[in-house]
Structures are given as C-alpha cells and as structure tokens.
Amino acid sequence: MADSDSKLKSNSNVKRSEDFNEWYNQIVETADLCDKRYPVKGMNIWRPYGLKAMKNIDKLIHAEMEHTNHEEVMFPLLIPEGLFQKEADHIKGFGGEVYWVTHGGFNELDERLLLRPTSETAMYSIFPLWIRSHADLPLKTYQIVNTFRYETKMTRAFMRVREIHFFEAHTCHADFEDAEAQIKEDLDIMKSFFANLCMPYQANRRPDWDKFAGADYSIGIDCLMPSGRTLQMGSCHQYKTNFSKPYGITYEDVNGEQKFCHQTTYGMSERLLGGVIGMHSDDNGLMFPKLVAPIQVVIVPILFKGKEEPVLKACREVEAELSAAGIRVKFDERDITAGSKYYEWEQKGVCMRIEVGPRDVESGAVMTVRRDNRQKEVVKRAELVEQVNAILDAYDEVLWQCANGNLESNTHRANVIEAVEGKSGILELPWCGEEPCGLAVEERLDVSTLGIPTEEVAARIGGGEVCPVCGKPAVSWCRFARTY
Ligand code: ZN
C-alpha cells in the first residue's frame, strides 16, 4: 500500500501552471481521488477520498431537487433494444456509444439489452402507466445512477469516462409553457448549485447541429478551465412532444381530451468533480470549496519532547468541538513530520489547517492557516467555531472571485473574426443564426460553437452588428471556444 502510494506520488512532477492537462491527469491519482489502473479503459475506481467529494456534490443536488419538488426514483440499468429504438433521433445520436448485453448465462437473449447511456427510453416506457390525467402533472423525477457510454475519444478521469456517475432529472408537463417554466426553474437551480461549488458558468443555448439527440433545443452549462478550454458541466433539454409521441405519454385534460405531455430533462455528472478540480487548484494541489471538501479542517499537532500530552489533549478537544458544530474535521495524529502533513493536506485541497503547539495551549489559542493564500491567524479557543466558519466563508469567496476573474478576463467579444483570432478562452461574435456561418467560424478558429447566451442581456445585439461570415444582419451574439 505504502509502496504503490509513494510510486504514484513520485510521478507527480508536472506543475499546473506549466501543463494543465498533464497536471490534471496526475493530481486525480496523487490526491487519492481515483485509481486509473483498473483493466477496462475509461472505467476508474473511486477511492474513498474522491468518493466523499462526489457524495458531497450529490448532497447538494439532492437538496436542490427536494427544494423544487422533484422526487427520486431508481430505474433498471438494462434497457430492451425495442424500447431504445422508438425515438429515431435518439438512437442515431447514441447508437455508436452503446454497450450491448447479448447473453444471459450461456443463452443468447431473444432481445438484446443495452446498458443505459441515459434513461429517457427506460423511463418513458413507464411514464404512460403513471400519468392518467392533468391531475398527475407535472411529474418531476430524478435519479443519480451509473450510465455507460462507449467513448471513442481519449478518456480523462471524471471528464470523459465510459462508466459515468450521472444525475438526470426528467419532467412531464401539460403544455409547452409549463415545460418552459421548468427550464427556467432549471436555470435557477444552476445558479444556486454552482454558487455552492464557487463556479461561475455560462448557460448557452446550443446550435441545432449540436443539440441533444431527440431534443427540440438544448442548453449547455459551460465552465472555463484554466487551460482556456471550456468544460460542459451539465445540460437541460426541451423535448416538446418528441418523446411523448413515440412512447405514448398522454394525459386527459380538463375537457376529457387526450393530449401528449411536454417533457424536459436536466443532466449533470461526475464532470462536476473534474470541473472543481480543474478550476480550484494551484501548483500546490487542489482547493475544494467548503461544501465539497471531504475534510474542511485538518488539525496538526506541533510536538516537542516531554510536552506532547497537553498538545494532543487540546487537539482532541478542538476536533470534538468543530465536529459537534457540523464541520468536517480530521485530527492528523500520524507519526510523520508536521511539514509532510502540510504538504499532503494542501495537495488534497483541505480548506484550512489548525496548528496546535505548547505555546498555543498555554495562551488558550490555536493557529489557523488558509489553503488558498496560507494566511495565518491566531484564533482564541473561546471563539473557535465562529472564527473557523468565518475563515471558511472567506476562503470560498476567494475561490469564487478567482474563478470569476478568470472567466471575465478570458471572454473576448468582437465584431470581426480577426479580432479574436489566436485568443484563448470564450470568443463572442455576432451571428446571423445560419448553420454554415457558425461552422465557418468553427473551422476558421478551430473552436466549437457553445451557442447563444441564455442571459438576454448578453445575447442582445446592440444595433447594426452583422454576421462576420456572410455580412447579413446578426440576430444575436454567439459564443465559441475550444472544449474538452
Ligand atoms: Zn452569417
């Protein structure tokens, strides 16, 4: 165990500031988040520390869902081929990414089964049995499960994997307007959820050529990584009746008429953790936002021969007091140097540490050190919980400001392509709305189209802007970026 750990750690020699992508590939293992040595490509092992961080993110999702009256469900992993084939665009979009189960024991199955790449087709075969009348609507469900996609692109821990820890919300509504109101609620959920991750983002309406398979339209949630590439952290989709028609999801309205439901979905995944790792970190390692951090506070005793006992006693008291206040705290009693403890917990993104030495015990205080800027502060034991909470809040605020500063200073708006050529980050250009012009920009700048900003102010054309490709009047601003 110790051997393999030290082997992994000695490989970590790339600095984040020098090679972000390689640094990322290493830190996920050196910080004990996952183990990539499992012998199936793109299927990694969640180590306890990484799983705790993910579960903390899940907790935030559960809270948002409960708050907005979504109910949790759990659908089977296997989907019969016949169900999956019902929506033509959907199968076109996912067909090449599906894992098939063809045998049960030694027997070839009459009908092939697939591992869910997402659960529309599983859920929508059952929703008609649950929905009878307008009184059953809206139906708001969600689940957090594993999904499977046979990725052909290069895999990357948490960002692009073949077995995905996945969140999906599925809703059914009486009409288009109510479904639109759901999308608005999704955008509100995003706002509070991503604030908790200290992650600024942009919600962009994807162009038609890049919408979700089967959707009327899709909104992508894009975060800008320090590498200058964006990472899609989630998406929501307006389906209108595209799925309810083939799956027969109908309801009886107030006049006794049968009508098709309008549907939406909202999806996110373990990429959230990948995004947190990428966005909040420095050359010393990770910086977990307080609500994500598996350990928020680590206590390190500063020991001198003959004076150990009062220090250890004080450490235990501090641990008990913080723990009782709901703070995730660890007392690191290991017999290694304090310096190597600092190094390890900084790398693992613990928000702050508390040092306790003999003199601190005598003066009834502790020394606090923040992860982000290593700022030290003496805190009186009598004010411990209050001060630790204040430091954690200030730390989160810095994470947010730092990420937001990066997004703002790397978003470039211009009227002509030449002005953004060679720039990294998010590029905003006026757009006529036509696909060939969007694709021309993609090719010219070697970027992908993120789409039209969902914030009206950011999308609105001021006056007179023209499409830089065809010269026709622009209908909105459009965002482009290199993506993961
Ligand atoms: Zn154009």
Side-chain angles (χ1 to χ4, degrees), residues 425-436:
I426 291 165
L427 314 175
E428 299 179 335
L429 291 166
W431 186 37
C432 64
E434 297 296 326
E435 179 168 342

Side-chain angles (χ1 to χ4, degrees), residues 430-434 436-438 466-473:
W431 186 37
C432 64
E434 297 296 326
C437 293
V466 297
C467 173
V469 180
C470 69
K472 288 185 192 146

Side-chain angles (χ1 to χ4, degrees), residues 142-156:
Y142 78 100
Q143 62 180 15
I144 298 180
V145 292
N146 284 17
T147 59
F148 294 81
R149 294 185 192 175
Y150 182 69
E151 275 291 347
T152 48
K153 290 185 191 164
M154 193 174 70
T155 57
R156 188 186 292 279

Side-chain angles (χ1 to χ4, degrees), residues 292-308:
V292 180
I295 301 168
Q296 295 168 321
V297 180
V298 65
I299 303 165
V300 178
I302 312 296
L303 297 173
F304 294 91
K305 256 217 163 88
K307 295 182 182 172
E308 290 96 336

